[in-house]
Amino acid sequence: MKKLFLYISTFLFAASLMAQEAEHFNYEIELGHDNDFFVIYTGTDRYYTYGINAAFRWKGQKEHFYFKRNENYVSHYSEINANIEAYTPDYLAGGAVDPNEERPYAGWSYFNFSQAIAFENSFLRIGTDIGILGPDSKAGDIQNWFHGISGDDELQGWEEDQLPNQFGFNLRAKYGFEMSQGKLFDLYGTVDASLGNIYIHARPMLHARFGKFESIQYSVAQDNQLLGKKEQTEYYIEAGLGAKVSAYNATVQGNIFDNNDLFSQDEINNFIFNGYFGLAFSHKKTSIKIRYHLTTGELMSSELNRYGAISIAQRF
């Protein structure tokens, strides 16, 4: 009888675990694209001109030894993604370099590995970027290839004025926390930071959402939808406002270990405004997020930079 009771208890326990796991998806693929081309009423291909990214995420197990000690721990997932980013100055007709523009051409291609950890009212994401800044990033080749297809002028500055190759390594962290949550409206904050030879900065932001949404540790708002339940649905409009305190940006200033004196200190903008608004939709397997971004430039002489971003994710 004791053995029978043990077998039944073991079976029920295993079934309970399977039922619990069935409430969640275990994997996700996401594709994203940023481009100032999406902002139709302003000049394009200036400053941060485009970004392409692809991510693969997989859900972790609660039994992971590292997280057992934190009583507020809920769940976590791991992620690996590939990214290409392109930065250009403004340029003249025909793709020629504008001698009045100071910002160099820069391409940054990298892989990122990170883990996102959900707590009861917050989340933490930590990760590492590894890649190449310079011609070997192929960011310029991709942009001119696309311009060749679309009939736009090729940019000559990728050949003449691009920053030279350098290896890039960055540590990243992001913390998000609920501030005020109602049925249709909420406020939450995030703080993200980067430390490495490509970016050194810290950026606090305040975010607001209106509509139907999940807590941020399960929401598409901060790419945590994989930790939510299979049946969850979100649709809302959103906005965010913050400022980045930047100590170094290699896409503008070049190699941190090379005293190249591209710009004097009074030409660098170390306090950069960031803002966005957009909308998001997530239902069962599919998530879509669209945002319009506005930011001040890395140089004191830079104008405002505007670009649109779209991402589509599929869970399974």
Side-chain angles (χ1 to χ4, degrees), residues 141-161:
D141 294 338
I142 292 173
Q143 186 174 38
N144 280 334
W145 170 79
F146 181 78
H147 278 209
I149 293 177
S150 63
D152 295 325
D153 297 320
E154 291 191 0
L155 277 65
Q156 301 171 22
W158 282 115
E159 296 292 335
E160 301 172 5
D161 295 311

Side-chain angles (χ1 to χ4, degrees), residues 107-126:
W108 167 228
S109 295
Y110 62 98
F111 289 97
N112 170 273
F113 175 78
S114 60
Q115 282 200 327
I117 310 158
F119 302 102
E120 289 185 0
N121 296 300
S122 61
F123 74 90
L124 174 66
R125 183 179 294 113
I126 51 178

Side-chain angles (χ1 to χ4, degrees), residues 87-263:
Y87 301 84
T88 72
D90 204 355
Y91 55 90
L92 302 175
V97 177
D98 186 347
N100 297 317
E101 283 289 337
E102 298 174 313
R103 197 205 195 287
Y105 285 78
W108 167 228
S109 295
Y110 62 98
F111 289 97
N112 170 273
F113 175 78
S114 60
Q115 282 200 327
I117 310 158
F119 302 102
E120 289 185 0
N121 296 300
S122 61
F123 74 90
L124 174 66
R125 183 179 294 113
I126 51 178
T128 303
D129 298 338
I130 299 176
I132 187 76
L133 176 71
D136 285 349
S137 70
K138 302 303 180 183
D141 294 338
I142 292 173
Q143 186 174 38
N144 280 334
W145 170 79
F146 181 78
H147 278 209
I149 293 177
S150 63
D152 295 325
D153 297 320
E154 291 191 0
L155 277 65
Q156 301 171 22
W158 282 115
E159 296 292 335
E160 301 172 5
D161 295 311
Q162 185 172 183
L163 292 172
N165 285 323
Q166 66 167 302
F167 172 77
F169 177 83
N170 267 35
L171 299 176
R172 287 194 188 186
K174 188 172 191 177
Y175 179 67
F177 52 95
E178 293 282 2
M179 298 176 64
S180 175
Q181 185 173 8
K183 290 185 177 180
L184 294 176
F185 178 80
D186 82 334
L187 289 173
Y188 70 92
T190 60
V191 180
D192 67 271
S194 177
L195 178 62
N197 68 319
I198 302 299
Y199 300 117
I200 302 176
H201 68 245
R203 174 171 48 196
M205 291 196 74
L206 177 66
H207 310 259
R209 296 182 292 177
F210 179 79
K212 178 177 174 56
F213 48 79
E214 298 290 332
S215 298
I216 56 171
Q217 63 269 42
Y218 311 119
S219 175
V220 66
Q222 293 294 322
D223 300 323
N224 294 328
Q225 59 272 14
L226 183 61
L227 299 180
K229 294 183 179 181
K230 283 185 175 181
E231 300 300 319
Q232 78 177 30
T233 297
E234 297 182 278
Y235 44 88
Y236 59 83
I237 58 176
E238 60 178 349
L241 182 67
K244 180 170 69 174
V245 181
S246 177
Y248 203 84
N249 183 341
T251 70
V252 177
Q253 297 171 264
N255 195 321
I256 193 172
F257 302 111
D258 180 13
N259 186 20
N260 47 42
D261 294 327
L262 286 175
F263 303 99

Side-chain angles (χ1 to χ4, degrees), residues 28 54-58 78-83 111-114:
E28 181 177 51
F56 175 68
R57 305 182 180 108
W58 63 98
S78 300
E79 173 182 353
I80 185 169
N81 57 60
N83 308 266
F111 289 97
N112 170 273
F113 175 78
S114 60

Side-chain angles (χ1 to χ4, degrees), residues 32-39 43-53 83-90 103-104 106-108 110 139 143 158 199 244 249 251-252 274 293-298 302-310:
H33 183 45
D34 307 338
N35 207 310
D36 51 10
F37 177 78
F38 295 148
V39 184
T44 63
D45 295 334
R46 187 179 64 188
Y47 310 147
Y48 176 51
T49 182
Y50 81 82
I52 302 171
N53 59 81
N83 308 266
I84 300 176
E85 299 173 1
Y87 301 84
T88 72
D90 204 355
R103 197 205 195 287
W108 167 228
Y110 62 98
Q143 186 174 38
W158 282 115
Y199 300 117
K244 180 170 69 174
N249 183 341
T251 70
V252 177
N274 299 118
H293 292 266
L294 176 68
T295 178
T296 53
E298 300 92 343
S302 297
E303 300 177 22
L304 290 176
N305 181 211
R306 305 173 181 88
Y307 65 93
I310 182 170

